[in-house]
Every structure is written in structure tokens, then in C-alpha cells.
């Protein structure tokens, strides 16, 4: 019996929706909506189920993006993407790992909905301009212009720094050791001079309201970790295709920590504490390009 195309491409559809929305919960809702339209639609004239399904999921994700825009404008504190638990294997696909990184998703949040859709479909999934045009109801020429504009926008905010996987893991291990011990000098040694820490509590958990930048300020903040949470347990973890960590308090997941690495040091730290965004981290996500 031939597998239903929706089942075959479900991981791909989830990945498209997640990269467009930055939320696993919203992405799952969009995938479910796509399934309903697939199941109820007339498939007799569908010659390319994959392209057809990607078109549906793109349109649904665009609709969802527009409806959540006001919600994000009213968000308490900094908004960060909802993290995903991933296997180390995701890091083997360098382009996929970068496209789903917390850093990249944060940059994509600064794009307009249509620009984000075009960027994701073209730069990440390498879809032809004609297919993207059909998905967003634009002409291929317009899509080319949007792709160029969004590519420049992202490049200006997210310089591509290739970091060897082994080096990244080593730097993250050094950082976590420094965090656990509260050793100020170790923290200073592993942090870049212009390091920035961003936290997302969403009004549901305590978190710094604005980013803190500068090695000395960030190191002093992090050196108090053990004083503030003496019983916390730090677990190395893989989030969004990169080595990361989660912090456990009282036997429960309290914070997901993702970092950026360049030139052997931590350049950015993302601390996600909003419990709604941590609720799905018990299940490993399957991503696909």
C-alpha cells in the first residue's frame, strides 16, 4: 500500500511552518490545518503532492503569522522562538541546522510575513521562484525582488560564521562549566567582548526585560547563578541543531539555554524561561529539508 503523501512529507511541512513561525505549537496547528485541507480536497488533479502540500502549509503559515503579529507586539519583555529538542544528527546538515537556529529564527522575526515566507522557501528549501509565486500569490518577478530584499536584510543582521561542530561543542562545554562553578575568570575567558544575553520570560517567569551586553556585565550576571539557584542542575542538550543546555529546578525544566559561537567564544546567549515555550521539549522534533 502506498503511503499517503501527507505522511511522507509531514516532517518537511512541519519544518517549513516552524521556520516561518518560530513556534512549534503554531507550526503543529498549521500542519493540522494543512492535513484537513488535504484530506477534504480533490486530489485527482494534483500531479506534485509535495509542491501542493508546501503551497498549502505556506499559505496557512502566512495567515497564522498575520494573526499572531499583534500578540507578539504586546508580548512582555523580549520575544524568542520556541526551542526544539533535536538529535545531534541535525547538525550534520549545516544549512538546516543554521536555518532552525534560535539566532536565525530571531532574525527572521524582523522580516515582514511575505518576506519571511520567500526567504525560507528559497534560501532554505531552494524552491523554484515559480513554485514560491504560486504559494504566495505573487508573480515570479515579484518573488525574485522579495528574495533579493530579504536575503540582504538577513545577511546584514546574521553574518555567516562557519564554526566547526567539535569546536562549538568544546566552547559550549567550557561555558557550562564556568556557569555551574560561577568562576568569574572562566566566564570572562569564554565570553566574547561584545557578548549579549537575551532572556524570554513572557511575563510568566522572571527574566531580564532587556538584553545585557558586554563581557564584564554578562560575566558578573552569570557568576551569580549558583548563589541565586544553588540546587539547579545544568544538563547539556541539543536544541535547534546545536549544542545547548537546559536548567532544571526542583526536578522540572526551568530554562532552555542556546548560544552563538564565533572565534572560540560565546557571542550571544539566549535564555528561554517562558513555560509555555518549554512545554514541548520532552519530545524530539523530526526536521527535514
Amino acid at each position: 500500500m502506498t503511503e499517503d503523501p501527507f505522511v511522507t512529507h509531514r516532517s518537511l511541512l512541519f519544518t517549513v511552518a516552524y521556520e516561518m513561525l518560530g513556534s512549534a505549537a503554531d507550526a503543529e496547528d498549521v500542519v493540522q490545518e494543512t492535513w484537513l485541507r488535504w484530506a477534504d480536497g480533490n486530489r485527482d488533479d494534483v500531479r506534485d503532492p509535495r509542491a501542493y502540500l508546501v503551497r498549502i502549509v505556506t499559505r496557512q503559515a502566512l495567515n497564522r503569522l498575520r494573526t499572531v503579529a499583534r500578540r507578539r507586539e504586546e508580548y512582555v519583555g523580549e520575544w524568542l522562538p520556541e526551542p526544539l529538542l533535536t538529535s545531534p544528527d541535525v547538525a550534520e546538515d549545516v544549512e538546516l541546522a543554521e536555518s532552525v537556529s534560535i539566532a536565525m529564527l530571531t532574525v527572521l522575526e524582523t522580516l515582514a510575513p511575505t518576506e519571511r515566507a520567500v526567504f525560507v522557501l528559497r534560501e532554505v528549501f531552494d524552491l523554484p521562484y515559480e513554485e514560491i509565486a504560486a504559494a504566495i500569490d505573487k508573480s515570479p518577478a515579484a518573488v525574485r525582488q522579495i528574495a533579493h530584499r530579504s536575503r540582504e536584510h538577513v545577511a546584514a543582521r546574521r553574518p555567516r560564521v562557519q564554526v566547526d561542530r567539535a569546536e562549538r561543542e568544546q566552547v559550549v562545554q567550557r561555558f557550562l562549566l564556568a556557569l555551574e562553578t560561577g568562576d568569574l575568570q572562566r566566564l570572562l575567558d569564554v565570553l566574547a567582548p561584545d557578548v549579549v544575553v537575551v532572556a524570554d520570560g513572557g511575563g510568566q517567569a522572571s527574566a531580564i526585560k532587556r538584553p545585557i551586553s558586554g563581557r564584564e556585565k554578562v560575566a558578573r550576571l552569570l557568576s551569580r547563578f549558583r548563589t541565586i539557584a544553588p540546587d539547579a542542575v545544568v544538563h547539556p542538550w541539543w536544541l535547534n541543531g546545536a549544542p545547548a543546555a537546559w536548567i532544571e529546578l526542583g526536578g522540572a525544566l526551568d530554562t532552555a539555554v542556546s548560544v552563538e559561537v564565533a572565534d572560540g567564544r560565546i557571542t550571544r546567549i539566549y535564555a528561554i524561561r517562558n513555560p509555555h515555550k518549554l512545554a514541548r521539549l520532552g519530545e524530539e522534533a523530526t526536521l527535514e529539508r
Side-chain angles (χ1 to χ4, degrees):
M1 184 177 178
T2 304
E3 187 174 55
D4 187 294
F6 178 86
V7 176
T8 302
H9 301 300
R10 193 186 193 288
S11 295
L12 167 69
L13 300 177
F14 173 81
T15 308
V16 171
Y18 176 69
E19 293 196 23
M20 286 185 60
L21 295 162
S23 164
D26 285 337
E28 284 289 2
D29 287 345
V30 163
V31 170
Q32 184 62 29
E33 290 164 4
T34 300
W35 158 247
L36 293 175
R37 281 161 176 73
W38 170 254
D40 294 341
N42 182 1
R43 296 180 239 166
D44 294 339
D45 298 328
V46 176
R47 287 180 289 182
D48 186 344
R50 182 181 185 274
Y52 180 78
L53 287 165
V54 168
R55 187 158 66 243
I56 296 175
V57 85
T58 298
R59 288 175 176 172
Q60 296 305 313
L62 274 171
N63 291 339
R64 182 62 61 98
L65 263 181
R66 292 170 181 133
T67 61
V68 301
R70 179 172 295 277
R71 192 171 73 201
R72 293 184 184 176
E73 287 175 2
E74 297 171 350
Y75 197 78
V76 177
E78 294 291 315
W79 185 94
L80 288 174
E82 185 178 338
L84 291 179
L85 174 64
T86 56
S87 74
D89 294 341
V90 173
E92 298 297 330
D93 186 334
V94 177
E95 291 187 5
L96 175 61
E98 177 167 354
S99 72
V100 298
S101 68
I102 297 296
M104 177 59 82
L105 293 171
T106 302
V107 171
L108 293 183
E109 191 67 18
T110 64
L111 290 170
T114 300
E115 290 177 331
R116 185 167 185 168
V118 170
F119 182 88
V120 168
L121 296 177
R122 181 62 186 172
E123 299 301 313
V124 180
F125 297 95
D126 198 28
L127 292 189
Y129 290 111
E130 291 73 16
E131 283 190 29
I132 301 173
I136 66 170
D137 294 323
K138 300 278 187 183
S139 70
V143 169
R144 287 178 185 274
Q145 291 181 335
I146 295 169
H148 178 72
R149 188 167 63 243
S150 61
R151 193 161 47 240
E152 287 189 333
H153 178 99
V154 171
R157 291 159 177 77
R158 174 65 172 157
R160 291 180 65 90
V161 179
Q162 294 295 335
V163 180
D164 177 78
R165 173 177 165 176
E167 178 190 354
R168 183 187 292 271
E169 288 188 78
Q170 184 182 56
V171 172
V172 172
Q173 287 172 2
R174 287 172 52 213
F175 169 68
L176 295 181
L177 178 60
L179 179 66
E180 286 195 85
T181 60
D183 188 309
L184 184 60
Q185 188 56 54
R186 281 183 172 176
L187 284 166
L188 289 169
D189 290 343
V190 78
L191 298 175
D194 57 350
V195 63
V196 178
V197 59
V198 184
D200 177 349
Q204 307 298 313
S206 61
I208 55 174
K209 291 292 192 299
R210 296 181 180 83
I212 295 176
S213 59
R215 178 163 51 198
E216 286 72 22
K217 286 183 180 179
V218 173
R220 284 197 298 272
L221 172 69
L222 297 180
S223 68
R224 298 198 294 269
F225 170 66
R226 272 293 165 219
T227 303
I228 297 170
D231 300 324
V233 181
V234 179
H235 298 274
W237 211 5
W238 282 81
L239 289 177
N240 294 65
W246 59 277
I247 298 172
E248 180 183 299
L249 278 178
L253 175 59
D254 178 81
T255 308
V257 181
S258 177
V259 301
E260 285 186 70
V261 175
D263 299 322
R265 291 186 174 180
I266 301 291
T267 60
R268 208 164 184 90
I269 303 166
Y270 303 99
I272 302 162
R273 304 202 65 224
N274 185 338
H276 297 305
K277 295 185 178 183
L278 304 178
R280 306 172 62 85
L281 285 178
E283 182 179 348
E284 189 175 288
T286 303
L287 304 175
E288 181 183 324
R289 279 200 305 148

